[in-house]
Amino acid sequence: MCEMTNARSPLLPDRHPQKDLFVCDIVDAVPKGDMASMEHPVFTLSTKPDMKPRRYQNGDNSIEVSPSRYGLATVHDRDVLIYCISQCMAALNEGRKVNRSMRFKAHDLLVATNRQTSGQGYQLLKDALRRLQGTQIETNIRQGGKEYFKVFGLIESAEIVRETRDGRMQDVEITLSDWVFDAIENNHVLTLNKQYFFLRKPLERRLYELARKHCGAQPKWKCGLELLRDKCGSGSTTKEFRRLISKIIEDDAVHDHLPDYTMSIESDNVVFRPKGAEAVIAPSFLALRFRKPDTHDEARRLAPGWDVYVLENEWRSWVHDKAIDVKDADKHFLAFCNKRGAYQN
């Protein structure tokens, strides 16, 4: 008699190994996420309807998220926004204009984000659109240099333009919120690894977003367990959160399934490091060392009200993503801060 073992992979299966060549360019657009919702816990980790409002405070920044009757938008619902942002950024890179309202084939989105294209897959997409439109956010977090003191949804509206007789969507039209579209217009986005769409656990997806936002290609990023729990939007106790992180670390040691970053628990901190650091961290990135002792003070003067260390992380990730050859790190960073300060004014 064979002994039963739990051998389920921590990754979702590749649901579309042979993609339609006609939609290849659309499906292969580089995934992009907006920095603000990568930084702050906008999406719930729950896979069941989450009806609990939440508030997150980090220094002067605050965010309140309230559910509709369908519940809060989930980490997996975020796939829709990533797809929309990716398509807009691809268009901008080709010199084409974009606007807040965009129309696309539902099938293309499902394939690009590794979701089911069965009837259930289309129904799940409808549910995601309801939650994205219904979830209300009130925040003073700057997105693309603007500061918001209003309530808004993650998308303004969604419409099924065409639908087959068996109820499957063909064309979908989405109008993005100003908050999301401002991030697109100001290139306030970061590239995501396509393996992100294969991560099964919502917590793993959230941890990857935070690592991508804060660690980037730096040698490491360290975050206290309690703060990391809050950034993830987890309702677990610190003890339970430590156990969940430990399990993810154990699974990654066996399957090497987490994209780009490894995690370790050191005392009461979780430390993120790029995988294959020698290949990821280019010499030009290692050279981004400030030479002047008052660079951060000058950055605060140029961008009042901003967290200069968050700005520094964004600048470093931006330089790495764009492969910019920086000769003078202090001067380049201060120019970046000055631009952020100009947006505020």
Side-chain angles (χ1 to χ4, degrees):
M1 183 175 179
C2 295
E3 183 178 353
M4 295 293 292
T5 59
N6 183 9
R8 188 171 86 151
S9 168
L11 292 176
L12 295 169
D14 186 350
R15 293 175 170 135
H16 313 286
Q18 294 181 325
K19 298 178 178 64
D20 186 343
L21 293 177
F22 183 73
V23 298
C24 187
D25 289 343
I26 297 173
V27 168
D28 287 340
V30 178
K32 304 276 187 180
D34 70 283
M35 291 183 183
S37 62
M38 291 172 72
E39 160 72 11
H40 303 284
V42 173
F43 299 91
T44 179
L45 299 176
S46 177
T47 55
K48 297 178 180 179
D50 187 346
M51 310 304 294
K52 183 179 179 181
R54 61 188 61 196
R55 177 181 174 84
Y56 175 76
Q57 185 83 32
N58 183 17
D60 293 333
N61 291 331
S62 66
I63 185 167
E64 295 183 26
V65 187
S66 302
S68 68
R69 64 191 181 96
Y70 300 105
L72 293 171
T74 71
V75 168
H76 288 281
D77 295 343
R78 179 179 170 80
D79 291 356
V80 176
L81 289 186
I82 293 174
Y83 180 81
C84 292
I85 293 171
S86 305
Q87 295 302 312
C88 286
M89 294 307 299
L92 288 173
N93 289 337
E94 294 173 2
R96 293 184 280 126
K97 291 184 178 181
V98 297
N99 55 56
R100 291 198 303 130
S101 294
M102 57 187 302
R103 184 181 293 194
F104 53 85
K105 301 291 185 184
H107 179 268
D108 294 347
L109 181 150
L110 296 174
V111 172
T113 56
N114 195 43
R115 295 165 78 100
Q116 302 175 51
T117 53
S118 62
Q120 182 185 15
Y122 285 87
Q123 182 58 52
L124 291 173
L125 178 54
K126 277 187 180 180
D127 294 340
L129 294 174
R130 291 188 182 104
R131 288 189 293 266
L132 287 167
Q133 195 282 325
T135 296
Q136 297 292 295
I137 297 173
E138 184 174 355
T139 181
N140 66 348
I141 294 169
R142 298 172 181 87
Q143 179 77 291
K146 296 182 180 180
E147 186 167 344
Y148 286 83
F149 292 95
K150 66 177 184 180
V151 178
F152 55 93
L154 290 163
I155 60 175
E156 185 174 298
S157 64
E159 180 181 357
I160 301 169
V161 184
R162 296 174 61 195
E163 190 168 1
T164 60
R165 290 182 179 179
D166 60 358
R168 298 189 184 190
M169 290 176 274
Q170 291 184 345
D171 289 355
V172 177
E173 185 168 297
I174 288 178
T175 300
L176 299 172
S177 67
D178 289 336
W179 198 58
V180 174
F181 195 65
D182 284 343
I184 294 169
E185 287 191 308
N186 291 283
N187 198 20
H188 210 60
V189 302
L190 288 175
T191 299
L192 305 177
N193 192 310
K194 289 186 178 181
Q195 195 73 1
Y196 171 89
F197 297 120
F198 292 83
L199 294 175
R200 188 184 297 274
K201 296 179 180 178
L203 179 56
E204 290 181 343
R205 293 190 175 204
R206 183 71 187 118
L207 290 166
Y208 171 76
E209 291 172 3
L210 287 167
R212 180 68 187 88
K213 174 68 171 59
H214 289 283
C215 188
Q218 297 181 87
K220 69 177 181 179
W221 172 58
K222 181 170 68 174
C223 187
L225 267 168
E226 290 189 9
L227 178 58
L228 185 63
R229 179 197 61 188
D230 292 343
K231 280 181 171 290
C232 287
S234 172
S236 302
T237 63
T238 305
K239 181 179 180 181
E240 173 63 10
F241 187 71
R242 177 190 282 266
R243 187 193 69 78
L244 293 172
I245 295 292
S246 297
K247 180 63 168 64
I248 292 173
I249 293 172
E250 290 173 9
D251 287 345
D252 190 50
V254 174
H255 299 279
D256 190 25
H257 69 292
L258 296 179
D260 299 339
Y261 301 97
T262 61
M263 291 186 300
S264 61
I265 297 179
E266 301 176 12
S267 185
D268 290 326
N269 297 299
V270 178
V271 180
F272 297 79
R273 294 181 175 86
K275 290 185 175 180
E278 296 80 4
V280 172
I281 304 173
S284 60
F285 191 89
L286 289 172
L288 294 179
R289 297 189 179 94
F290 297 141
R291 307 296 181 184
K292 300 176 181 179
D294 60 347
T295 294
H296 284 117
D297 290 336
E298 179 64 11
R300 292 186 182 93
R301 185 186 70 79
L302 293 171
W306 291 78
D307 184 329
V308 295
Y309 295 103
V310 170
L311 283 178
E312 182 182 345
N313 277 329
E314 292 178 3
W315 168 72
R316 289 180 181 276
S317 295
W318 176 62
V319 168
H320 179 73
D321 279 354
K322 304 296 183 183
I324 298 171
D325 186 13
V326 175
K327 303 296 185 184
D328 185 330
D330 299 83
K331 183 178 180 180
H332 200 275
F333 173 60
L334 291 177
F336 179 88
C337 293
N338 188 46
K339 189 174 182 181
R340 287 286 184 267
Y343 282 145
Q344 182 177 352
N345 297 325

